[in-house]
Amino acid sequence: VYDGDTVRTQVWHYPGRTECLECHTGPTQGGLALGFNTAQLNRDFLYPNGVTDNQLRSLQFAGYFSASPAVPPLNTLRALAHPTNETVSVEQRVRSYLAANCAFCHQPGGSAQANFDARLFRALPQVNLVNGPLVNPGGNASNRVVVPGSLDHSMLLARISIRGAGQMPPRASTIVDTQAVALLSRWITNDLAAYQSFADWQIAHFGSTNAPAALSAADPDGDRGRNGLEYLTGTDPQDAASAWGIGIEVQGESAFISYPRLPNRGFEVQWRANSDFGTTSGWQFLDVPENRPFFSATNGVTRVPVSPREAVSRFYRVRVYEP
């Protein structure tokens, strides 16, 4: 193969049926047709007729979906992040890479002999990635799936960095994805070095994970922000003046729900009618493009437009969650 100014040897391996079925599992795991899933398809595509449209919406219009409703509101659905999109958190780009390349085997019931779950829609604390135990620690008890701050002990990084015995993905790949290696290394070295689980956060603030004041639903500073929210928004659970909040802005004929955006946190504006006052039900997703799931790489302020006419007859809130 001629590659610029160099000539290199390229080996192609065409897997047999048995090899293919190692990854093309399903229908409940890999789904047989790898990549044919909501998060992969939830993006715009330029079709040969010159029309650009969301792939899910195009498939629905073409009659490929039989369920009713065939596709939920597109603004509610998760999408994979491109690995070079610097507006998206490094963690979300890593998780998107793993969802696209590993999740069909690495999930409960999948064919992989490993404990972590690479699916995108599971929150990080639920998937055994960070300090996750290994079936085979490679002769070193300090090795884990991913170890914050340690490239040497992160076996996920080691496996995608080699080709040959033990490589990942295990089939039909003879060249290391250097872009993925660099992205995962960046996540481990920079972001994860400062990662704090909720249990770590509880110990840091209360010295315990089971003290009454440390529980997720507790509000020791009385600011109406429970510990679970204080953890997600990075505020001090013992200082009522340290609080995260939302507001409404009016600019001429336009109105916006505004809130402080935090790196690698999900935010979802919800609404319900004034007639539901006093109830805990009735909250609905605010179906506008600005409210799509997005996990930012930076701090900032997000403004989600609302109808001024509807705003006077509705309550609004923002759900904060860990991706």
Side-chain angles (χ1 to χ4, degrees):
V1 177
Y2 179 71
D3 185 10
D5 297 326
T6 62
V7 177
R8 60 182 176 82
T9 299
Q10 172 69 54
V11 177
W12 280 272
H13 172 74
Y14 298 93
R17 178 179 176 84
T18 300
E19 292 174 296
C20 290
L21 291 176
E22 292 178 11
C23 294
H24 289 264
T25 58
T28 58
Q29 291 84 42
L32 298 179
L34 305 186
F36 198 81
N37 57 62
T38 299
Q40 283 267 23
L41 295 171
N42 187 19
R43 64 184 181 90
D44 288 346
F45 182 78
L46 175 60
Y47 291 92
N49 63 358
V51 174
T52 299
D53 194 17
N54 182 280
Q55 293 184 107
L56 293 172
R57 183 165 45 224
S58 295
L59 289 167
Q60 180 179 9
F61 287 159
Y64 284 97
F65 300 139
S66 59
S68 180
V71 177
L74 292 177
N75 293 323
T76 67
L77 302 178
R78 296 284 291 270
L80 298 188
H82 194 280
T84 64
N85 186 352
E86 291 290 335
T87 68
V88 180
S89 72
V90 174
E91 179 183 306
Q92 274 305 290
R93 286 183 275 159
V94 168
R95 296 286 306 276
S96 294
Y97 170 84
L98 296 177
N101 293 275
C102 313
F104 36 87
C105 292
H106 288 275
Q107 61 172 280
S111 60
Q113 297 298 311
N115 296 320
F116 75 90
D117 185 351
R119 292 176 297 175
L120 185 67
F121 56 84
R122 299 289 303 280
L124 185 64
Q126 301 173 340
V127 297
N128 272 340
L129 271 174
V130 179
N131 290 317
L134 297 166
V135 174
N136 178 8
N140 189 328
S142 298
N143 291 343
R144 295 289 186 273
V145 178
V146 169
V147 178
S150 175
L151 301 179
D152 292 338
H153 293 300
S154 297
M155 289 299 99
L156 175 58
L157 176 66
R159 300 288 291 276
I160 71 168
S161 300
I162 60 173
R163 284 300 169 265
Q167 74 172 52
M168 285 291 161
R171 300 295 179 192
S173 176
T174 59
I175 299 177
V176 171
D177 186 341
T178 55
Q179 187 180 70
V181 170
L183 186 64
L184 186 59
S185 299
R186 179 179 167 188
W187 183 48
I188 293 169
T189 303
N190 299 338
D191 295 42
L192 280 186
Y195 175 75
Q196 197 176 45
S197 68
F198 182 61
D200 295 333
W201 181 89
Q202 289 174 300
I203 292 171
H205 286 283
F206 302 102
S208 169
T209 61
N210 55 14
L215 301 181
S216 178
D219 179 18
D221 58 6
D223 65 355
R224 302 183 67 185
R226 296 179 179 181
N227 283 340
L229 178 64
E230 303 254 24
Y231 162 69
L232 292 170
T233 57
T235 50
D236 188 339
Q238 301 182 83
D239 180 2
S242 175
W244 178 91
I246 69 173
I248 188 163
E249 301 177 6
V250 178
Q251 299 177 6
E253 297 298 318
S254 302
F256 302 86
I257 301 298
S258 64
Y259 56 83
R261 182 180 67 248
L262 303 168
N264 201 46
R265 288 292 187 258
F267 301 90
E268 179 184 295
V269 178
Q270 300 175 344
W271 70 273
R272 72 179 182 188
N274 285 354
S275 58
D276 292 326
F277 179 75
T279 70
T280 59
S281 61
W283 291 102
Q284 301 179 52
F285 176 86
L286 183 62
D287 189 13
V288 295
E290 294 81 359
N291 202 27
R292 290 176 177 172
F294 177 70
F295 308 96
S296 178
T298 60
N299 289 305
V301 176
T302 295
R303 293 177 174 85
V304 179
V306 297
S307 166
R309 179 177 57 83
E310 293 176 335
V312 299
S313 61
R314 290 179 171 181
F315 291 106
Y316 292 94
R317 71 179 184 183
V318 177
R319 180 175 76 93
V320 188
Y321 59 97
E322 188 171 10

